[in-house]
């Protein structure tokens, strides 16, 4: 079992920056990649970014505009999502997920955090 805890969400002004953290504990050696997803009210869950724990290979969606950057610190068992130039459309609950594949598909991630709310305001 892997437990994931997201932190860093909150209220941010449009155009501002925010960094989310996802700290893993438990059987972390059994997983291969960590991903970030988000879900806005009334919308489906959406892939944001993913990175492998071992060699740092990164996957972004094709729609990625270069505003978000994923990274990880293996010593801290923590993954980060740096969000820059945030837009109103970035308002959502952000989840991190841990699994055996570097993937943009949520069903390929076995473990999920509880989510952290990001709200972009004017």
């Amino acid at each position: 079992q892997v437990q994931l805890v997201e932190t860093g969400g909150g209220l941010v002004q449009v155009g501002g920056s925010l960094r989310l953290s996802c700290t893993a504990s438990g059987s972390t050696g059994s997983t291969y990649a960590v991903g970030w997803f988000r879900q806005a009210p009334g919308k489906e869950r959406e892939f944001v970014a993913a990175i492998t724990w071992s060699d740092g290979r990164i996957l972004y969606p094709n729609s990625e505009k270069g505003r978000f950057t994923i990274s990880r610190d293996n010593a801290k068992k923590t993954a980060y999502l740096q969000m820059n130039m945030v837009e109103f459309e970035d308002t959502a609950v952000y989840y991190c997920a841990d699994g055996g594949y570097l993937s943009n598909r949520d069903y390929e991630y076995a473990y999920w955090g509880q989510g952290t709310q990001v709200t972009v305001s004017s």
Side-chain angles (χ1 to χ4, degrees):
Q1 290 284 344
V2 175
Q3 294 78 43
L4 302 170
V5 177
E6 303 102 332
T7 57
L11 188 65
V12 58
Q13 287 190 323
V14 63
S17 297
L18 202 64
R19 188 176 81 158
L20 307 182
S21 300
C22 170
T23 300
S25 61
S27 302
T28 55
S30 64
T31 58
Y32 179 69
V34 57
W36 286 97
F37 293 78
R38 68 184 183 184
Q39 188 164 22
K43 295 188 176 181
E44 293 187 352
R45 189 156 52 190
E46 177 184 21
F47 171 68
V48 177
I51 188 169
T52 59
W53 286 112
S54 58
D55 57 3
R57 287 189 297 125
I58 290 173
L59 182 66
Y60 292 112
N62 291 334
S63 58
E64 168 57 33
K65 303 175 186 177
R67 298 183 296 114
F68 293 177
T69 303
I70 190 171
S71 61
R72 90 275 188 252
D73 183 331
N74 286 343
K76 296 181 179 179
K77 297 183 180 180
T78 299
Y80 303 98
L81 183 69
Q82 178 67 43
M83 305 169 60
N84 296 326
M85 298 298 293
V86 297
E87 303 171 350
F88 292 119
E89 293 73 19
D90 296 325
T91 294
V93 177
Y94 284 73
Y95 299 90
C96 70
D98 211 20
Y101 302 93
L102 181 66
S103 173
N104 61 358
R105 300 178 179 90
D106 57 3
Y107 58 80
E108 297 203 90
Y109 291 85
Y111 306 104
W112 290 79
Q114 81 289 349
T116 186
Q117 175 71 46
V118 172
T119 302
V120 181
S121 66
S122 59

